[in-house]
Amino acid sequence: MMTRIFAAAALALGLSAGASALEGDAHAPEKHEWHHAGPFGVYDDHAVQRGFQVYQEVCASCHSMNLMRFRNLGQRGGPFESEDFPNPNDNLVVMQIAAGYQVEDGPNEDGDMFMRPGLPSDAFVAPFANEQQARASNGGAYPPDLSLIVKARGGGADYIRSLLLGYEEAPHDAHLSPGQYYNAYFEGGAIAMAPPLSEGIVTYADGTEATVEQMAEDVVTFLTWAGDPHMEARKQMGLMVLIYLFIFAILVYLAYRQVWANVKH
């Protein structure tokens, strides 16, 4: 548990820290072949589910996802979507996930706030009550909300994945301050985040081997889905529009030929 909390705190510091003690530009993010990339790409539901597990066990102790509600996990296109439960509020898996958290509610009849098990309609539980508490727990750094982190960072998914995997031994001429690490993909190289992922830090429910590369890919896939949960529907709509326009263009051309067939040019 302490290892996971330390890793999550390190991730919070790394994603929000901006100072650098090294010279030089960061490496361009390594290109990765994502299952959801391209006009016909779709999310790998199993990867999104595993990524959610990584977020729960490694990141959630420091990072909030204020734009997400538990029911989003069971909505159409969500990783826990079920044909048996078209209403995500009735999804048994989502209900079980939500019930694993304690949510503040109230006031009750006596005017007091109280804690209760989470419901699918509740927002993801934030790890800190306020910004001051978050900074105090993370050496003054404010852990960024991860709801839109992939969209918010230049390089998107490639950058986040490269950052998670980009730790190297510092060059001999590097001058790192106490508590800093060298990451080739972070601007300047010096980052206040220890390597957040290590072999076997989580045990995947589906039996997949939890290598560092696998966890990095999975958690970035989950964060990508969280920032764009309707991507698949949008791509399908775009494909249908293109097909419609293609058929319409053929009909217009045939009509043109018919109208002007007896006219000499």
Side-chain angles (χ1 to χ4, degrees):
M1 177 61 70
M2 292 302 297
T3 300
R4 292 172 180 170
I5 294 176
F6 174 78
L11 181 60
L13 291 172
L15 290 178
S16 58
S20 171
L22 303 179
E23 297 180 355
D25 296 329
H27 293 175
E30 178 184 348
K31 295 296 183 182
H32 183 70
E33 294 185 5
W34 299 99
H35 194 273
H36 55 268
F40 304 107
V42 296
Y43 289 121
D44 181 345
D45 287 343
H46 296 294
V48 179
Q49 292 173 7
R50 293 193 299 266
F52 173 66
Q53 185 179 348
V54 176
Y55 167 75
Q56 276 188 309
E57 299 185 16
V58 178
C59 311
S61 59
C62 283
H63 286 278
S64 62
M65 293 191 75
N66 292 327
L67 300 182
M68 291 290 295
R69 295 186 176 273
F70 292 111
R71 64 187 176 201
N72 295 141
L73 299 171
Q75 69 184 18
R76 181 179 179 184
F80 299 104
E81 176 188 10
S82 173
E83 295 181 357
D84 296 331
F85 303 101
N87 185 345
N89 289 318
D90 299 328
N91 188 302
L92 295 181
V93 175
V94 174
M95 292 173 66
Q96 183 178 10
I97 292 173
Y101 293 85
Q102 289 294 308
V103 178
E104 186 178 41
D105 201 350
N108 57 19
E109 294 180 355
D110 298 324
D112 298 324
M113 304 300 288
F114 61 92
M115 302 301 291
R116 60 164 174 78
L119 299 172
S121 57
D122 290 322
F124 278 22
V125 178
F128 303 107
N130 50 59
E131 179 178 344
Q132 290 73 16
Q133 186 183 81
R135 290 186 182 277
S137 300
N138 291 280
Y142 182 55
D145 185 271
L146 297 184
S147 303
L148 299 173
I149 194 68
V150 173
K151 289 180 174 291
R153 294 294 184 265
D158 287 338
Y159 170 73
I160 302 298
R161 177 182 177 275
S162 296
L163 183 70
L164 294 173
L165 302 176
Y167 290 87
E168 303 175 359
E169 184 176 350
H172 67 280
D173 58 345
H175 300 286
L176 298 176
S177 301
Q180 288 187 326
Y181 301 84
Y182 181 76
N183 190 305
Y185 297 96
F186 192 73
E187 184 177 359
I191 183 171
M193 176 175 74
L197 301 175
S198 60
E199 300 287 338
I201 195 173
V202 301
T203 301
Y204 279 136
D206 64 1
T208 300
E209 183 179 0
T211 64
V212 173
E213 292 78 8
Q214 184 68 60
M215 288 184 289
E217 179 177 346
D218 291 340
V219 73
V220 173
T221 300
F222 168 69
L223 294 176
T224 303
W225 170 82
D228 193 4
H230 303 296
M231 179 203 69
E232 294 179 4
R234 189 178 67 254
K235 287 182 177 180
Q236 292 175 0
M237 178 63 70
L239 179 61
M240 295 301 296
V241 170
L242 289 176
I243 293 174
Y244 169 80
L245 291 176
F246 178 74
I247 295 174
F248 181 73
I250 293 176
L251 294 176
V252 169
Y253 175 74
L254 294 177
Y256 164 81
R257 293 293 301 271
Q258 181 68 26
V259 170
W260 296 98
N262 298 321
V263 177
K264 294 182 179 181
H265 297 281

